[in-house]
Amino acid sequence: MELAYIPSPSHGVLYLGPVPLRAYAFCIIIGVFLAVWLGNKRWVARGGRPGTVADIAVWAVPFGLVGGRLYHVITDYELYFSPGRDWVDAFKVWEGGLGIWGAIALGAVGAWIGARRMGVALPAYADAVAPGIAFAQAVGRWGNWFNQELYGHETHLPWALHITSSEGGRVPGYYHPTFLYESLWCVGVGFLVIWADRRFKLGHGRAFALYVAAYCTGRAWIEYMRVDDAHHILGVRLNVWTAVVVFLLAVTYLVLSARRRPGREAVVERGASDDPADGESDAGDESAEQAEDGAKADLTKGDTAEKAGPEDAATETDPEPETEDESKAGLKDTAESGKKG
């Protein structure tokens, strides 16, 4: 008799009338909201506009879901296209089966499209959302618990997972809760990225690369514990090889990026400001500058007038006095015109 274990839910679907509410889907949705919320806070702290992360996520999330499902279907095609299987099941995402490798790869394409439309550099955006993605994965893994999937070898440890379902070739028993191991590992990765980003001022995509490298480290040993069917290369599961290759690529990027582009981006989004009234204040400043220039011009004119003195003022207003000869000529002309008249 087992004294302690992790029980599995008897079912992962609740029905609201005819509408099924699937726990797996809710875990993914909660993870997405968590990633966007944290990413937005980090983006604004870096000098970006509020809402930019969500606007880009509108592109990244659908691409990520499609990419995650494609990776799973391609690497486990026999589950959907073998004799006796129904290929329509390949579209039933709610039953589980999202490969993180495909989700990140195609999600990055969607993020690139969204970032380009917003005029934002993708590496800076990736750095902002990196820890949020790790936390989202941690939440999403609990969807596997509801589906009674992604468990490891048999064990009698106090935290063993009790599998009760026999669907899909499952054998009821007590197993390593690899879904829980990966969830906890992702939480640690998220906090690691936050700490390292604050400590070393990571920029130009290096925070995201650290997330990828750290996640792959844990995924490799957790994947090695799993007992579900998978393709093998040289006796090692395909996802272990994938984790190793992606880890090496991430570390290489970290090293090369630090050498070529040290430091962090000074500006992550052009025209962004912490104060929404900056536009008004800029206009006010411009008007103030114009008024100040006008006042300076008036003062300059006043100073010139003062320096000119009363003699110059008389010159401008009084005509020059006539000479004696000019006065006599004027009297003579007057007399002659009087005679003619």
Side-chain angles (χ1 to χ4, degrees):
M1 179 179 178
E2 298 292 336
L3 298 179
Y5 60 86
I6 300 174
S8 291
S10 57
H11 55 275
V13 184
L14 295 176
Y15 286 91
L16 186 61
V19 180
L21 303 177
R22 302 183 183 277
Y24 184 86
F26 272 104
C27 289
I28 294 176
I29 293 172
I30 293 172
V32 169
F33 274 102
L34 176 60
V36 172
W37 172 79
L38 181 58
N40 181 71
K41 289 180 66 69
R42 287 171 52 81
W43 183 254
V44 172
R46 291 282 303 275
R49 286 193 181 96
T52 297
V53 169
D55 291 339
I56 297 177
V58 170
W59 289 88
V61 172
F63 273 73
L65 291 175
V66 172
R69 188 60 177 177
L70 281 176
Y71 181 88
H72 169 73
V73 171
I74 291 173
T75 55
D76 292 309
Y77 62 89
E78 67 279 356
L79 299 177
Y80 308 100
F81 304 104
S82 298
R85 299 282 186 171
D86 187 358
W87 62 271
V88 177
D89 292 340
F91 298 95
K92 297 179 179 179
V93 181
W94 55 87
E95 293 183 354
L98 290 175
I100 186 61
W101 315 112
I104 294 297
L106 207 54
V109 175
W112 176 80
I113 296 173
R116 188 176 180 85
R117 291 170 62 88
M118 297 291 295
V120 170
L122 182 60
Y125 177 83
D127 285 340
V129 300
I133 293 176
F135 293 138
Q137 288 179 251
V139 175
R141 278 306 178 199
W142 283 90
N144 302 127
W145 176 61
F146 282 99
N147 286 351
Q148 296 199 35
E149 58 188 2
L150 298 190
Y151 49 88
H153 300 281
E154 283 191 286
T155 182
H156 297 287
L157 292 171
W159 56 85
L161 175 65
H162 186 198
I163 296 296
T164 59
S165 174
S166 57
E167 296 181 3
R170 299 183 183 91
V171 177
Y174 298 89
Y175 300 90
H176 277 286
T178 52
F179 86 90
L180 178 60
Y181 298 162
E182 186 168 340
S183 179
L184 294 175
W185 184 268
C186 288
V187 171
V189 170
F191 283 115
L192 170 66
V193 174
I194 292 175
W195 171 81
D197 193 25
R198 291 177 178 176
R199 174 67 176 79
F200 301 105
K201 304 296 182 183
L202 301 177
H204 303 286
R206 288 189 287 276
F208 185 81
L210 175 61
Y211 145 72
V212 173
Y215 171 73
C216 289
T217 302
R219 179 62 187 267
W221 67 265
I222 294 171
E223 183 74 21
Y224 195 77
M225 295 177 64
R226 287 168 53 173
V227 294
D228 53 306
D229 293 333
H231 293 284
H232 288 71
I233 299 176
L234 300 177
V236 179
R237 292 169 67 95
L238 173 61
N239 282 334
V240 175
W241 287 109
T242 304
V244 171
V245 172
V246 176
F247 169 82
L248 293 175
L249 292 175
V251 172
T252 301
Y253 179 86
L254 267 172
V255 174
L256 295 180
S257 176
R259 291 179 179 177
R260 296 180 180 179
R261 307 186 69 181
R264 178 186 284 180
E265 299 92 338
V267 178
V268 297
E269 186 173 6
R270 293 183 179 180
S273 174
D274 294 336
D275 186 3
D278 271 354
E280 298 176 3
S281 62
D282 290 343
D285 292 343
E286 186 176 352
S287 300
E289 289 177 1
Q290 292 176 353
E292 185 179 353
D293 292 340
K296 288 181 180 178
D298 292 340
L299 290 174
T300 303
K301 290 181 180 179
D303 292 342
T304 304
E306 290 178 2
K307 291 179 180 178
E311 294 180 358
D312 293 339
T315 302
E316 294 179 1
T317 56
D318 297 337
E320 295 182 0
E322 298 179 348
T323 62
E324 186 177 354
D325 294 339
E326 290 175 346
S327 300
K328 291 180 179 180
L331 292 174
K332 184 178 181 180
D333 291 340
T334 305
E336 291 178 355
S337 59
K339 290 179 181 180
K340 294 180 182 179

